[in-house]
């Protein structure tokens, strides 16, 4: 029996990056031998065990064969006869198909170390094209390692293109897709993930609403980059530069979907795109079963981001409606995320990345003014039920008028 460290742990050590998760492969062992050594079985589809002391996962070396559609359409074979090289060849990229023994001796049958040095993301074997999830994984790795200069090998991009055209991507479950998308959006350069998906034709299959934005012009006076798709990538890039959470990054990706529906004869203007885009944002949310907080913020940012940009011009009554829509009294964090999403939108424009955004502090101040209106005096005056709500609204409107005069 031989035990090897494999995959990301080996890759990241060679890249000089922190190693977080370690995968182990056991060659030459049976299930019975693993159990006898105290390992606890956890794998339903293939033999995976938890180490009796560390709790880390150890998988028996295995081969796999395509048996159906999608990510789960494989049958696995694990036995003591399966070699390390046979286990490694089923992996996605050469840089993930290396192994180390306990002396850090490298096993690299598919030249992963060379591709690390050449900054290439390359598939291990033609079997790459059997698993549609790998399209998303490669795009995610491209986003993760973009700062190191990694690019996708042309042959690998071609296999990704074939997968995108085959209909296999539709076999992915919402849960598996969201897991990859959400991880990719939290990388340092998530815009690279979207660009790679677009380069291989996967974006128009997975998110046609986002793909439709490319080539759609906007007024140059507000958008020097002109192209709505390029703008969306830039907004996403800004959200990562400013270390925004997943909720904000998701909203940034979807905020302008309505512009993809504007009739060409109305270009480059996009009147009421905030409202026309809501049904598209809802469709993308539901397609990937995004978490509730991501769904809610994306819809609110889509609907109100132009309000954010025009905050200094809004009437007190409109400001109050905006604050009520976000329930800033019970959910202040959601309004803060809206503000930063608007700021990322303003910065995601060619040459305007460093622009100031006074609307942010203005909106924070407005929310503070409305929140500071006390309920107790109104209760003492005998207001209750719906009448209390109306009285509170009137007092908040007064507070916002005072705030506007003094801002």
């Amino acid at each position: 029996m031989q035990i090897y460290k494999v995959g990301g742990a080996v890759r990241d050590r060679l890249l000089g990056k922190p190693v977080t998760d370690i995968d182990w492969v056991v060659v030459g062992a049976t299930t019975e031998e693993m159990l006898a050594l105290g390992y606890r079985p956890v794998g339903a589809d293939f033999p995976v065990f938890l180490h009796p002391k560390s709790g880390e996962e150890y998988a028996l070396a295995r081969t796999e064969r395509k048996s159906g559609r999608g990510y789960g359409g494989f049958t696995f074979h694990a036995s003591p006869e399966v070699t390390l090289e046979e286990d490694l060849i089923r992996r996605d990229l050469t840089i993930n198909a290396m192994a180390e023994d306990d002396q850090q001796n490298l096993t690299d049958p598919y030249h992963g170390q060379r591709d690390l040095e050449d900054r290439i993301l390359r598939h291990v074997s033609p079997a790459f094209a059997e698993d549609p999830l790998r399209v998303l994984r490669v795009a995610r790795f491209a986003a993760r390692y973009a700062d190191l200069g990694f690019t996708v090998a042309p042959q690998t991009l071609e296999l990704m293109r074939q997968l995108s055209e085959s209909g296999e991507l539709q076999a992915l479950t919402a849960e598996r897709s969201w897991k990859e998308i959400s991880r990719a959006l939290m990388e340092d350069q998530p815009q690279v993930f979207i660009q790679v998906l677009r380069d291989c034709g996967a974006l128009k299959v997975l998110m046609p609403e986002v793909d439709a934005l490319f080539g759609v012009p906007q007024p140059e006076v507000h958008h020097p980059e002109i192209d709505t798709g390029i703008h969306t990538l830039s907004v996403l890039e800004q959200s990562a530069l400013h270390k925004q959470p997943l909720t904000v990054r998701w909203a940034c990706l979807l905020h302008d979907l309505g512009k993809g529906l504007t009739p060409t004869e109305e270009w480059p203007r996009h009147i009421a795109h905030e409202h026309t885009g809501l049904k598209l944002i809802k469709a993308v949310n539901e397609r990937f079963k995004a978490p509730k907080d991501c769904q809610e913020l994306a819809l609110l940012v889509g609907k109100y981001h132009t309000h954010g940009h025009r905050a200094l011009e809004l009437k007190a009554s409109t400001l109050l409606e905006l604050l009520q829509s976000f329930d800033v009294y019970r959910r202040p964090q959601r309004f803060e995320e809206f503000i930063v999403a608007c700021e990322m939108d303003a910065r995601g424009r060619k040459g305007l990345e460093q622009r100031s955004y006074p609307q942010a502090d203005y909106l924070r101040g407005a929310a503070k003014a409305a929140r500071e209106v006390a309920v107790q005096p109104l209760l003492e005056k005998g207001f209750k039920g719906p009448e209390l709500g109306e009285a509170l609204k009137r007092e908040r409107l007064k507070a916002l008028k005072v705030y506007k005069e003094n801002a």
Side-chain angles (χ1 to χ4, degrees), residues 295-314:
Q295 293 202 27
E296 288 177 353
L297 188 69
L299 284 164
L300 286 165
V301 170
K303 186 174 182 178
Y304 291 114
H305 63 275
T306 49
H307 274 48
H309 300 328
R310 293 175 46 243
L312 304 175
E313 309 159 26
L314 297 180

Side-chain angles (χ1 to χ4, degrees), residues 38-258:
Y39 287 82
R40 303 191 308 279
V42 291
D45 300 322
F46 43 83
V48 177
F49 304 85
L50 298 181
H51 191 280
K53 291 182 180 175
S54 71
E56 291 181 318
E57 288 191 358
Y58 286 66
L60 294 187
R62 64 187 189 269
T63 59
E64 63 185 31
R65 184 169 54 82
K66 183 77 168 168
S67 59
R69 289 189 80 204
Y71 165 76
F74 293 88
T75 52
F76 297 93
H77 170 68
S79 81
E81 287 74 43
V82 176
T83 66
L84 179 61
E85 288 75 11
E86 286 174 323
D87 182 90
L88 293 175
I89 200 171
R90 66 181 178 77
R91 296 171 187 271
D92 50 6
L93 298 171
T94 59
I95 64 170
N96 296 330
M98 298 180 283
E100 280 179 350
D101 62 17
D102 56 2
Q103 303 297 311
Q104 286 194 346
N105 294 313
L106 190 68
T107 300
D108 181 19
Y110 309 109
H111 310 296
Q113 191 170 22
R114 184 185 66 196
D115 284 342
L116 276 184
E117 291 165 359
D118 292 342
R119 302 303 197 237
I120 293 289
L121 301 172
R122 189 192 312 278
H123 62 285
V124 177
S125 77
F128 174 95
E130 295 177 350
D131 184 355
L133 190 67
R134 289 176 169 176
V135 172
L136 290 165
R137 275 176 58 82
V138 173
R140 174 165 64 81
F141 281 119
R144 175 179 296 179
Y145 297 123
D147 63 324
L148 296 178
F150 274 81
T151 56
V152 182
Q155 306 92 323
T156 305
L157 198 65
E158 179 55 36
L159 286 180
M160 292 165 69
R161 189 174 290 113
Q162 290 172 21
L163 264 171
S164 300
E165 294 170 355
S166 70
E168 281 272 319
L169 289 177
Q170 287 93 324
L172 290 174
T173 65
E175 291 77 12
R176 287 301 309 182
S177 296
W178 177 255
K179 186 176 180 182
E180 289 297 326
I181 291 166
S182 59
R183 289 178 72 185
L185 290 180
M186 291 310 293
E187 298 290 358
D188 286 343
Q189 296 202 42
Q191 76 282 3
V192 173
F193 171 73
I194 300 298
Q195 184 62 60
V196 170
L197 290 182
R198 185 159 189 269
D199 290 344
C200 71
L203 190 62
K204 67 183 174 190
V205 177
L206 296 167
M207 299 185 202
E209 301 88 350
V210 176
D211 191 67
L213 298 178
F214 290 86
V216 174
Q218 304 166 104
E220 190 174 0
V221 63
H222 301 301
H223 289 276
E225 72 288 346
I226 299 176
D227 189 293
T228 309
I230 300 300
H231 167 63
T232 299
L233 295 184
S234 299
V235 176
L236 195 52
E237 181 179 13
Q238 288 297 316
S239 73
L241 281 171
H242 291 270
K243 309 295 183 190
Q244 299 301 341
L246 177 61
T247 46
V248 172
R249 298 186 192 204
W250 183 241
C252 285
L253 177 63
L254 305 184
H255 78 285
D256 262 351
L257 292 189

Side-chain angles (χ1 to χ4, degrees), residues 245-298:
L246 177 61
T247 46
V248 172
R249 298 186 192 204
W250 183 241
C252 285
L253 177 63
L254 305 184
H255 78 285
D256 262 351
L257 292 189
K259 291 180 179 177
L261 295 177
T262 304
T264 54
E265 62 269 17
E266 293 180 16
W267 288 354
R269 300 178 70 204
H270 299 277
I271 297 165
H273 74 276
E274 307 89 348
H275 295 282
T276 56
L278 292 179
K279 62 184 178 185
L280 301 184
I281 295 171
K282 192 173 182 213
V284 179
N285 276 335
E286 291 175 354
R287 185 178 313 134
F288 298 110
K289 296 183 179 174
K292 190 178 178 185
D293 57 347
C294 288
Q295 293 202 27
E296 288 177 353
L297 188 69

Side-chain angles (χ1 to χ4, degrees), residues 375 378-379 382-392:
V375 181
L378 299 174
L379 291 171
F383 287 108
K384 55 186 176 182
E387 288 181 348
L388 174 62
E390 286 303 312
L392 199 51

